[in-house]
Amino acid sequence: MRDKKKGNRIFICGIALSVCLCVLAGGVTLHLSETFIRSGIADMAGAVGIAAPEQLGDIMHLYKSGDGLRAAGEEILGQYGYGRDAYSFVPAWFGAAAYAIPFCIISVMLFSFGLCWRRKRKEAEKRTEALSGYLDRIMEGQYDTLMKDDTGSALEDSIYKAVVLLREEREQAQRAKENLADNIADLSHQLKTPAASIGLTLSLLKKKAWDEETKQDIIRMEGQVGHLQRLVGSMLTLSRLDAGVLKLEEKEFDLEEMLVDAVQPFVRQMEEKGICFGIQGADGISLSGDFGWCSEAFGNIIKNCVEHTPERGDISIVCRDNPIYTEIVIQDSGGGFDEADLPRLFERFYRGAGSSKDSAGIGLSLAKSIIEKENGTVTAENTETGGAGFYIKFYHCHQIST
C-alpha cells in the first residue's frame, strides 16, 4: 500500500513539474518576444528620429492614433523584406528556439509518462506473479510465507486468511474421510471374523444328516453369509475410494486378458443359463492402469448383465481404439433399463425396478468410481434392440487420481 501511494505521488509530481515547465517556457518565450519586438520598434523610431527629427512629433502622434496605419505599414515592411512572420523582426535562432523548447518539453513529458506506464505494468506483472507463487506456497502448507514487496497489504492478508481457512477445512474433511475409511475398515474386519465363523459352521452342518428342507435352509444361509461378506468388501472399497486412500497401480496390461479375468467368476452361471458370450476387437489393445481394480469394475458391470439376461440370451463386449481413447461397449439381450432408472443408475445404494432381491445397489457405483479413478468414463443406455448397453471410455492421457 505504501509503494502504491508513493508511486501515485511521484506520478502527480511529474505531471505538476511538466505543467510548470510548459508555463515557464511559455512565459520566457512571451517575454523574449515582447523584448525583441519592442527593440525593433525602438530601432525604427530611432531611425526616423535621426533621419527626420523635425517630423518626429507628427510621426509619433500619428502612430498613437493608429488610424489606417497597419495596411500601409505592412506594405512598406514587405518592400524592405519584412514579412508577416513575427520572428522576422528577431534573430534567426530565437524562432527556432521558440518551437524547439515546447517540442522538447512535450517530448520529455511523453517519454516520462511512457517510462512510468511501463514501470507500472512491470510492477503489476511482478505483483501478479508473486501473488500466484504466494498462493501456491500457502497451498503447499507454507503458512508462514509472507509477501516481501507488500507485507502490509490488506489484499494479501485477506487472501492469506481465506486460503489458510480453505486449506484447513480441506484437510479436516480429508482427515474425516480417512477416519471414516479406517472405521469402516475396522468394522469390516470385525464383521469378517464372525461371518467366516458362521460360514464354517454352516459348512460343518451340511455334512450332518439333515432332512432336505433343513439342508436347503443351510444353503440359503450360506448364500446370505457370502452376500454379507461381499457387501462388507464393497463398502470397504467405496470408503477407501471416497477418502482417496485406495492406491492404484499404473502398469500396462492387455485389455483382452483383463476382460477374460473379469468374466471368469460368471462363466459357470452363464453356462447354466445358456448365455452366449463373446469379446471382439480387444486383441492387441493395451491399457495403463491397475489390472486388478479394472477387472473388479468390469466384473460388476458383467455381473449386472448376467443377472438381467434371460436364458439363451447374449452378452457381447466390443472394443474400439483410437488415438484419443479406448472404448469398451458391453451389451446384453435383456429387457434393458427403465427410463426412470437411467439418471440414477450409478448412484450408491440405488436399486432399480428390475434389481434382484439380493442386490445392494453398490456394484455399478463401485465400478463407476474405479473407472473414473483410472481416467475413464462410463455411461449406460438402452440399445436399439432393447437390451442394456454400458459404454466405457479410457482416455490415453492417463493420470491416476489420488
Side-chain angles (χ1 to χ4, degrees):
M1 189 66 68
R2 293 176 181 175
D3 292 341
K4 184 176 181 180
K5 290 182 178 179
K6 182 179 179 181
N8 291 335
R9 285 197 295 268
I10 293 174
F11 184 72
I12 293 172
C13 289
I15 294 176
L17 179 61
S18 300
V19 172
C20 291
L21 288 175
C22 288
V23 172
L24 179 61
V28 171
T29 303
L30 180 62
H31 175 71
L32 292 176
S33 299
E34 291 177 349
T35 300
F36 284 123
I37 292 172
R38 181 177 178 83
S39 298
I41 295 174
D43 291 340
M44 187 174 293
V48 172
I50 294 174
E54 69 281 357
Q55 299 180 5
L56 182 60
D58 296 334
I59 292 173
M60 292 304 297
H61 179 73
L62 183 62
Y63 173 74
K64 288 182 179 180
S65 67
D67 295 334
L69 297 176
R70 182 165 301 173
E74 288 182 355
E75 183 178 354
I76 294 171
L77 289 173
Q79 293 176 0
Y80 290 93
Y82 294 95
R84 299 181 61 87
D85 188 1
Y87 294 114
S88 62
F89 296 92
V90 298
W93 62 266
F94 181 78
Y99 288 106
I101 291 174
F103 176 78
C104 291
I105 293 175
I106 293 174
S107 298
V108 171
M109 289 176 58
L110 292 176
F111 182 74
S112 301
F113 291 157
L115 287 179
C116 184
W117 175 80
R118 185 178 179 183
R119 181 172 174 268
K120 287 286 186 181
R121 182 177 178 182
K122 285 187 175 181
E123 286 180 354
E125 292 176 353
K126 183 179 179 181
R127 182 182 181 89
T128 302
E129 183 179 355
L131 184 59
S132 177
Y134 173 65
L135 295 176
D136 291 339
R137 290 193 296 273
I138 294 177
M139 292 303 294
E140 292 173 358
Q142 302 178 26
Y143 297 128
D144 56 342
T145 303
L146 297 176
M147 297 288 287
K148 294 182 180 179
D149 296 333
D150 196 4
T151 54
S153 172
L155 175 62
E156 276 79 9
D157 292 341
S158 299
I159 292 177
Y160 179 84
K161 294 176 183 178
V163 174
V164 170
L165 180 61
L166 290 174
R167 182 175 174 85
E168 289 178 349
E169 290 180 351
R170 188 182 71 174
E171 290 179 347
Q172 290 177 359
Q174 182 65 24
R175 285 194 295 268
K177 286 183 178 181
E178 292 176 357
N179 291 335
L180 177 61
D182 292 338
N183 292 335
I184 293 179
D186 294 338
L187 179 62
S188 66
H189 288 305
Q190 295 296 326
L191 290 173
K192 283 181 180 179
T193 301
S197 177
I198 293 172
L200 179 61
T201 302
L202 291 173
S203 298
L204 293 175
L205 287 174
K206 283 173 59 178
K207 297 179 180 180
K208 295 185 177 181
W210 301 97
D211 57 79
E212 188 62 28
E213 183 178 355
T214 304
K215 287 183 178 180
Q216 293 299 321
D217 290 338
I218 294 174
I219 292 174
R220 283 192 292 270
M221 290 174 65
E222 279 187 321
Q224 291 301 317
V225 171
H227 176 68
L228 175 62
Q229 291 175 329
R230 291 190 297 272
L231 180 61
V232 169
S234 298
M235 289 293 296
L236 177 60
T237 302
L238 284 173
S239 65
R240 288 177 175 174
L241 284 169
D242 291 341
V245 298
L246 184 65
K247 302 300 180 182
L248 302 179
E249 294 182 346
E250 186 175 2
K251 292 183 178 180
E252 191 170 313
F253 60 83
D254 183 75
L255 175 59
E256 186 174 20
E257 182 181 352
M258 185 272 292
L259 294 174
V260 171
D261 183 78
V263 79
Q264 196 63 38
F266 313 104
V267 170
R268 184 173 179 179
Q269 186 178 356
M270 286 191 290
E271 290 177 349
E272 292 176 352
K273 296 178 69 173
I275 295 175
C276 179
F277 176 80
I279 300 176
Q280 299 177 8
D283 186 30
I285 298 178
S286 297
L287 292 179
S288 181
D290 193 298
F291 181 95
W293 285 112
C294 284
S295 177
E296 175 79 13
F298 277 87
N300 285 328
I301 295 176
I302 294 171
K303 177 177 180 292
N304 184 277
C305 293
V306 172
E307 291 176 349
H308 294 86
T309 301
E311 293 185 358
R312 302 188 180 282
D314 299 309
I315 297 177
S316 65
I317 300 179
V318 179
C319 305
R320 306 181 185 92
D321 191 37
N322 61 55
I324 300 176
Y325 58 81
T326 298
E327 183 180 36
I328 301 100
V329 179
I330 304 176
Q331 296 180 340
D332 64 42
S333 59
F337 304 110
D338 191 288
E339 291 297 329
D341 294 336
L342 282 174
R344 305 183 59 188
L345 198 61
F346 294 99
E347 288 185 11
R348 195 170 301 178
F349 304 116
Y350 179 76
R351 299 174 71 250
S355 301
S356 63
K357 61 180 181 179
D358 294 330
S359 174
I362 295 179
L364 293 181
S365 175
L366 178 60
K368 184 175 186 291
S369 298
I370 294 173
I371 290 171
E372 289 179 348
K373 277 278 188 179
E374 295 284 6
N375 198 41
T377 60
V378 56
T379 57
E381 61 184 46
N382 291 319
T383 64
E384 295 180 356
T385 57
F390 293 89
Y391 302 86
I392 302 99
K393 292 181 180 179
F394 288 102
Y395 292 89
H396 295 321
C397 51
H398 188 82
Q399 289 183 347
I400 295 181
S401 302
T402 57

